[in-house]
Amino acid sequence: MEIIPIILSGGSGTRLWPLSREDYPKQFLSLVDERTMLQETILRLSGLENIAEPIIVCSYNHRFIVAEQCHQIGKKNLTILLEPEGRNTAPAITASAFHSLKKTNDAILLVLSADHVIKNIEVFHQAIKTAYLQAQDGKIAIFGIPPKDANTEYGYIEVTKKNINGSYEVNSFVEKPNFIHAQKYFKKGNYFWNSGMFMFKAVTLINELSVHSPAIIEPIRAAVNNATIDLDFIRLSEDEFKSSPSESIDYALMEKSRNVVMVPLEANWNDIGTWSALYDIGTKDHNKNVIKGDVHAKDTTNTYINASHHLVATLGVDNLIIIDTPDVTFVSTKEKAKEVRSIVKSLVSKGRTEGFIHRKVFRPWGWYDSIEEGLHFQVKRLHVMPGARLSLQLHRKRDEHWVVVSGTALVTKGDQLLELKEGESIYIPSGTKHSLENKTKLQLEIIEVQSGSYLGEDDIERFEDIYGRVSK
């Protein structure tokens, strides 16, 4: 039977990143290795037998960054399902199951999250093989992590002590406990952390959900059957999908089914939910610091420093998390770093845009970075991918100046079609239809200077767009 990986890449990553950034969640960041967490999730499946190309479930807003990161690692024939709205993991996994059944009746699904770190790939593959045998027998296999400590950040799985071909029958699921209960579970030896990774036949999942959470089945079946093709993506039908209950797969099925087995996974796994977790798994220097980026640390110990914007210098500090980004600088003790969500909530309540707007924003044609802004002006750096094109549009309240930094730009300005090379520039007055295209095989970089009474992103009137952003 073919194994179809289901990769869940939803979520805003507010537990990890200093501020909530819907355009750039943690799974799309290079936090541990050179590749992003999504890319690592896909690539660590290489070498498994009977493995198919993954089905990736993501939000509509993340579709282009998902596709681009897959292309970067040579994955161009993936199935990308677009959720109209986040409805938790049960609807997302169910949609993947129904979609997989369109191709084959006996597919086995391997459900993974795009924000996990797994260091021992050989052990990971062996655990998958064990779970595969259980799934073939109609079982629902969940991967359990042997606890390293009395951690209160994970749910726990209680299992029997009888080994059944490398797996254990599940007695119960336990929500995130307090410290006293976590200590008790840790000492007992038959409690494992819930990894949130699963393996089962698609038909098994649907049959079990039909018994334990039937309200999910019909809306999601209809959402898949009425899905539409959107460029390289499959857009699940919005009305049907939104009518499904919003439930986690644990609550909708795992906690209710008596058909669940647990496969131990001792592969140096980590669910990167906090900056402290990155410190725990990072490579330490002689002062027990984990350092990424341009950092000068003196008399600094036991500290995680991530400098993605400019030089960070520290002197005489210990046990800190220091994150410097173009948006914000975040400093915390390791113990308090997991409470970053409270800062996000506080900033949003005060009307601060840092809580929900990211300086670097991805678009289907590439991305832009807001370099500088002030009264009646804004400067952006535009990165246009080969073969990409911005929509034919105009602005009512701002003028734009474009300067080509690298590459060749094909510019539409009113009735004119102009080719601009490196160092050349053009002025686009307000009220003028214009577009920008990169017809070459090289990257195109533009510096855009906006000036006017209003510079918001909603001052865009589109007329033509190859990405379907013009209402019909």
Side-chain angles (χ1 to χ4, degrees):
M1 296 180 187
E2 192 174 46
I3 300 173
I4 301 179
I6 308 299
I7 299 177
L8 307 180
S9 66
S12 62
T14 50
R15 285 188 299 153
L16 176 67
W17 202 245
L19 299 181
S20 174
R21 43 180 71 194
E22 289 294 336
D23 284 309
Y24 210 6
K26 60 180 176 177
Q27 58 267 31
F28 307 131
L29 298 168
S30 303
L31 293 172
V32 181
D33 298 302
E34 293 303 314
R35 297 188 181 94
T36 69
M37 302 181 80
L38 171 63
Q39 291 171 333
E40 290 290 347
T41 302
I42 296 170
L43 291 174
R44 73 170 62 106
L45 299 172
S46 299
L48 281 170
E49 296 180 2
N50 302 322
I51 196 79
E53 293 288 12
I55 296 174
I56 300 179
V57 185
C58 70
S59 78
Y60 177 80
N61 291 333
H62 301 154
R63 66 196 188 283
F64 292 111
I65 188 171
V66 167
E68 173 61 19
Q69 291 196 358
C70 290
H71 289 173
Q72 289 173 3
I73 58 174
K75 301 292 184 179
K76 298 182 179 180
N77 298 312
L78 304 181
T79 299
I80 302 177
L81 298 182
L82 303 182
E83 293 179 288
E85 177 181 276
R87 304 296 290 165
N88 218 314
T89 54
I93 295 170
T94 306
S96 302
F98 276 122
H99 182 79
S100 70
L101 290 174
K102 289 186 173 185
K103 298 181 179 180
T104 176
N105 291 326
D106 60 358
I108 290 180
L109 308 184
L110 171 62
V111 179
L112 306 171
S113 175
D115 58 0
H116 291 178
V117 172
I118 298 174
K119 292 292 187 179
N120 193 327
I121 305 302
E122 183 178 348
V123 171
F124 177 54
H125 285 188
Q126 186 56 53
I128 291 173
K129 293 174 184 177
T130 300
Y132 178 79
L133 296 176
Q134 295 294 334
Q136 279 185 315
D137 287 341
K139 296 291 186 181
I140 296 172
I142 182 169
F143 296 90
I145 310 300
K148 302 174 185 176
D149 51 38
N151 198 305
T152 59
E153 290 298 307
Y154 301 122
Y156 283 70
I157 308 167
E158 181 194 9
V159 300
T160 64
K161 294 186 177 181
K162 182 181 178 182
N163 187 320
I164 308 169
N165 298 322
S167 66
Y168 301 81
E169 291 183 355
V170 172
N171 284 340
S172 67
F173 287 81
V174 183
E175 296 294 331
K176 294 178 182 179
N178 59 33
F179 184 67
I180 294 175
H181 284 96
Q183 280 184 313
K184 182 175 70 173
Y185 302 152
F186 180 61
K187 291 177 181 177
K188 276 198 168 185
N190 66 321
Y191 284 80
F192 291 73
W193 291 338
N194 185 347
S195 72
M197 297 186 291
F198 313 92
M199 202 166 186
F200 39 68
K201 287 181 180 178
V203 291
T204 300
L205 174 77
I206 292 169
N207 290 340
E208 290 268 339
L209 279 173
S210 298
V211 173
H212 299 292
S213 294
I216 293 175
I217 292 296
E218 290 310 318
I220 299 303
R221 189 200 307 270
V224 172
N225 289 339
N226 297 324
T228 56
I229 303 299
D230 179 2
L231 298 177
D232 295 329
F233 312 102
I234 298 173
R235 191 193 293 259
L236 298 170
S237 181
E238 183 171 359
D239 290 341
E240 289 88 349
F241 192 84
K242 286 183 176 180
S243 67
S244 167
S246 178
E247 294 181 357
S248 70
I249 194 66
D250 286 341
Y251 178 79
L253 179 59
M254 300 300 164
E255 295 176 7
K256 302 172 182 177
S257 174
R258 304 309 300 169
N259 192 35
V260 183
V261 296
M262 191 278 298
V263 175
L265 176 63
E266 197 162 6
N268 203 351
W269 170 93
N270 202 304
D271 173 12
I272 303 299
T274 65
W275 287 109
S276 297
L278 281 174
Y279 174 82
D280 292 339
I281 67 172
T283 302
K284 317 289 192 297
D285 63 16
H286 64 285
N287 288 318
K288 296 186 178 179
N289 299 314
V290 176
I291 292 175
K292 291 196 70 174
D294 191 6
V295 176
H296 181 75
K298 186 175 182 181
D299 296 333
T300 297
T301 54
N302 306 303
T303 293
Y304 181 92
I305 309 173
N306 188 314
S308 61
H309 183 41
H310 54 217
L311 171 67
V312 170
T314 61
L315 177 63
V317 300
D318 176 66
N319 196 45
L320 294 183
I321 301 293
I322 302 172
I323 315 298
D324 182 65
T325 78
D327 301 295
V328 66
T329 298
F330 174 68
V331 181
S332 169
T333 63
K334 288 191 202 142
E335 291 75 19
K336 283 286 186 179
K338 63 185 178 182
E339 299 176 21
V340 65
R341 205 182 281 267
S342 64
I343 296 179
V344 176
K345 187 178 294 186
S346 175
L347 288 172
V348 171
S349 69
K350 294 178 180 178
R352 293 292 299 259
T353 59
E354 291 91 343
F356 54 88
I357 295 178
H358 181 33
R359 204 184 93 165
K360 188 175 183 179
V361 178
F362 284 84
R363 290 291 185 255
W365 44 263
W367 50 261
Y368 69 79
D369 185 3
S370 297
I371 300 172
E372 185 64 69
E373 61 181 304
L375 185 63
H376 302 319
F377 83 90
Q378 184 169 213
V379 182
K380 291 182 177 180
R381 177 186 171 199
L382 310 184
H383 178 96
V384 186
M385 296 183 295
R389 180 185 181 187
L390 280 69
S391 60
L392 180 65
Q393 60 186 257
L394 64 75
H395 311 292
R396 300 291 181 184
K397 300 178 181 179
R398 72 173 184 249
D399 303 335
E400 293 181 343
H401 294 77
W402 290 343
V403 181
V404 178
V405 177
S406 64
T408 301
L410 189 65
V411 177
T412 299
K413 177 184 177 182
D415 296 330
Q416 297 177 284
L417 189 62
L418 307 165
E419 185 177 88
L420 300 184
K421 297 187 180 297
E422 185 175 320
E424 297 180 332
S425 62
I426 193 169
Y427 168 61
I428 311 290
S430 61
T432 302
K433 287 185 181 180
H434 60 280
S435 182
L436 178 64
E437 186 174 4
N438 181 5
K439 298 194 76 170
T440 74
K441 295 182 179 180
L442 303 175
Q443 305 295 332
L444 171 62
E445 297 282 347
I446 299 281
I447 295 298
E448 176 182 272
V449 181
Q450 303 176 356
S451 59
S453 59
Y454 179 75
L455 307 174
E457 284 301 305
D458 54 348
D459 181 25
I460 298 178
E461 185 177 348
R462 291 190 173 95
F463 301 92
E464 297 175 9
D465 184 64
I466 63 175
Y467 308 109
R469 295 176 295 173
V470 177
S471 300
K472 295 182 180 179

